Amino acid sequence: GCFLLHYAHRALIFPLLIREGKPTPFFTFVLALLFCVFNGYLQGRSLTTYATYPAGWLGDLRFITGLLGWLIGMAINIHSDHILRNLRKPGETGYKIPRGGMFEYVSGANFFGEILEWFGFALACCTLESLAFALCTLFILGSRARQHHK
């Protein structure tokens, strides 16, 4: 459910909210699409075929902590995206430093939120595949956050 909710938001709601921006290079789009398709298959297959959980797993501290981490991360991600979308007035150009929310603590609050989301997901699922996804997210978004910070 967490995985589907994140990608439903990212694929259906987020595109309707964004304003015109820089176009995404086609190669970057293709790489992102391939990653999402492969990862979606990997996560879905892992959770529906291989993962087994004891009775009462939904009440386990690992699941509850992971779910809370995922929820907080998604809230940070959505709020940070909102701040970024509203940095400039229509027609305005130039760089602006985002303020408010988690941007008061980290320069890449949107990236931080998504990284927190997927580490929460990994804890809630307790699978090697979900941990691999969280680590990939950390390395990919961490490097993007570093570039944005500079």
Side-chain angles (χ1 to χ4, degrees):
C2 294
F3 190 87
L4 293 174
L5 185 59
H6 171 88
Y7 281 103
H9 175 266
R10 196 49 89 196
L12 303 174
I13 298 168
F14 180 78
L16 297 174
L17 298 174
I18 59 175
R19 297 179 186 167
E20 285 186 40
K22 294 183 273 185
T24 301
F26 184 71
F27 185 68
T28 303
F29 168 77
V30 170
L31 285 178
L33 179 66
L34 289 173
F35 176 83
C36 289
V37 167
F38 176 73
N39 185 53
Y41 172 78
L42 185 66
Q43 298 305 319
R45 180 82 174 176
S46 163
L47 291 171
T48 60
T49 306
Y50 301 110
T52 57
Y53 298 100
W57 177 251
L58 299 181
D60 188 281
L61 187 58
R62 291 168 292 180
F63 177 80
I64 293 169
T65 304
L67 182 61
L68 285 174
W70 182 86
L71 283 168
I72 293 167
M74 186 157 181
I76 291 169
N77 194 3
I78 290 171
H79 184 251
S80 300
D81 285 344
H82 171 77
I83 290 171
L84 290 171
R85 272 194 312 275
N86 294 295
L87 274 178
R88 293 179 207 82
K89 294 180 176 79
E92 195 175 34
T93 59
Y95 183 78
K96 290 196 172 185
I97 296 174
R99 299 279 184 223
M102 285 300 294
F103 284 108
E104 297 301 318
Y105 305 99
V106 293
S107 58
N110 52 328
F111 300 125
F112 171 75
E114 190 152 345
I115 290 167
L116 180 59
E117 258 185 271
W118 295 123
F119 272 95
F121 178 78
L123 182 58
C125 295
C126 283
T127 64
L128 186 58
E129 295 83 1
S130 61
L131 177 60
F133 178 36
L135 289 171
C136 282
T137 301
L138 173 64
F139 294 131
I140 292 167
L141 294 185
S143 67
R144 288 185 63 200
R146 189 169 184 256
Q147 287 174 322
H148 284 246
H149 181 76
K150 285 182 177 183

